[in-house]
Amino acid sequence: MANIISGKELSARLKADMAAEVATFGAKYGRVPHLTVILVGEDPGSVSYVTGKAKASAEVGIRNTTIRKPATIAEEELLGIIAGLNADPEVDGILVQLPLPKHIDEQKVIAAIDETKDVDGFHPLNVAALWQKQPCTLPCTPKGIVKMLKTAGVEIAGKRAVVIGRSNIVGLPVSKLLLDENATVTVTHSRTRDLAEVTRGAEILVVAIGRPKFVTADMVAEGAVVIDVGVNRDPETGKLCGDVDFAAVEPKASVITPVPGGVGPMTICCLMENTIECFLRKMQAR
Ligand code: NAP
């Protein structure tokens, strides 16, 4: 039986601690942190993520503004909104919910956000700082994964870690964070040969592919720590499921994260933490 790390419970504890801290900010700084989320279009997944971010902000005591724009918005107009938020001293965090409609250049939009308000940690300057081991805003999902591992008492240093997926938002940054924790990291992807052979060598396996139940028991070593980042619909049941076949892999793993209730809630929790960090950096620089 694996130790199942509940991201839901851990994030609830961390949010309660943050709420207690934020409650002191009014007296100290005259206001609370302010997160502004821009939602373009009505993709149901994006709408649900934005709603989750507003709910978490309310729990922590962070002021949340959600700007909703139609999918037809011109790139120019979106960049104008970001410029206004960059210049607004009462806005501490700016998040543009991804993905954006095809006619908008996502990289251009991310780069337009003031890097000191980039609570997602996606701005090129934050990415460069991460890879140069400089102070920066860490991307939320990778940050949450490392927090979960540490809270579960998983020793990372010296371990063989395998990451499946090399995206800019999960695979690559989580690989770097694990490397910074002194794991020996292998990054795999759709062109990796004999993937199962590589993953069977993992003491820590992080899966971020976006394919329901892709990782089966034969791909996992006995006693491995398995972190499932995937958020998918099970084609058979229509229910949410991860990239890992949980029922089959759990008996082999020593530690595993569930979907839902694993990495997802920790991502939102780290977004709250990043917003507070951006706010405090600004307040302490005054
Ligand atoms: P992505 O940008 O689509 O990247 C997927 C990665 O998986 C790519 O690097 C791809 O390889 C690799 N891949 C695809 N098929 C593969 C295969 N058969 N074998 C090995 N590697 C394969 O996805 P993402 O944004 O990283 O997201 C991954 C999953 O995590 C999605 O389900 C997403 O919804 C979820 N997610 C969850 C959270 C959360 O908070 N829980 C946050 C972000 C993302 P190539 O590079 O070769 O194409």
Side-chain angles (χ1 to χ4, degrees):
M1 276 282 285
N3 167 15
I4 299 171
I5 316 178
S6 169
K8 200 173 162 189
E9 281 170 21
L10 176 58
S11 67
R13 285 207 301 277
L14 295 173
K15 281 186 289 185
D17 291 347
M18 284 189 266
E21 191 191 0
V22 170
T24 67
F25 289 169
K28 266 193 225 159
Y29 305 113
R31 66 177 182 86
V32 295
H34 181 195
L35 170 66
T36 301
V37 177
I38 305 175
L39 172 64
V40 176
E42 283 164 16
D43 169 70
S46 295
V47 170
S48 127
Y49 287 131
V50 167
T51 309
K53 287 163 188 175
K55 186 169 164 268
S57 300
E59 284 166 18
V60 172
I62 288 175
R63 180 178 160 204
N64 183 294
T65 304
T66 302
I67 300 174
R68 290 166 189 268
K69 290 288 166 185
T72 51
I73 188 174
E75 184 180 281
E76 215 40 40
E77 188 185 343
L78 182 57
L79 293 172
I81 294 170
I82 292 170
L85 296 171
N86 284 344
D88 186 341
E90 300 261 310
V91 171
D92 307 295
I94 304 169
L95 182 152
V96 179
Q97 186 63 46
L98 302 177
L100 289 169
K102 297 239 175 313
H103 67 279
I104 298 177
D105 180 344
E106 243 170 48
Q107 287 311 316
K108 199 168 165 184
V109 168
I110 291 168
I113 297 171
D114 181 328
E115 78 276 8
T116 66
K117 300 187 180 189
D118 167 37
V119 282
D120 256 340
F122 294 164
H123 189 284
L125 289 175
N126 278 317
V127 176
L130 166 66
W131 287 89
Q132 292 174 355
K133 237 177 164 175
Q134 295 299 308
C136 62
T137 300
L138 293 176
C140 303
T141 303
K143 184 177 180 176
I145 291 170
V146 172
K147 256 187 215 297
M148 290 175 101
L149 289 171
K150 289 188 172 174
T151 308
V154 174
E155 171 93 41
I156 305 174
K159 290 281 168 63
R160 286 188 303 274
V162 173
V163 177
I164 317 185
R166 54 176 166 181
S167 70
N168 286 335
I169 64 168
V170 189
L172 286 184
V174 80
S175 304
K176 177 64 166 82
L177 291 186
L178 291 170
L179 194 56
D180 289 348
E181 295 290 337
N182 298 313
T184 300
V185 182
T186 304
V187 185
T188 65
H189 45 78
S190 67
R191 307 286 290 273
T192 299
R193 264 192 292 123
D194 301 328
L195 180 64
E197 201 178 303
V198 181
T199 58
R200 275 195 294 270
E203 294 169 283
I204 299 172
L205 179 63
V206 179
V207 192
I209 327 176
R211 290 177 176 230
K213 300 182 178 174
F214 178 89
V215 171
T216 45
D218 61 306
M219 297 172 74
V220 178
E222 201 70 49
V225 173
V226 180
I227 304 290
D228 189 352
V229 185
V231 180
N232 312 292
R233 287 272 161 210
D234 185 325
E236 281 159 27
T237 64
K239 289 190 180 155
L240 274 191
C241 74
D243 288 345
V244 175
D245 184 347
F246 186 89
V249 170
E250 186 270 336
K252 271 186 111 174
S254 59
V255 175
I256 193 166
T257 62
V259 178
V263 174
M266 285 304 294
T267 296
I268 297 197
C269 177
C270 289
L271 174 67
M272 298 300 114
E273 199 177 282
N274 283 355
T275 305
I276 294 171
E277 281 173 14
C278 288
F279 168 82
L280 285 176
R281 273 198 290 270
K282 190 198 287 178
M283 291 301 151
Q284 284 155 7
R286 283 195 305 191

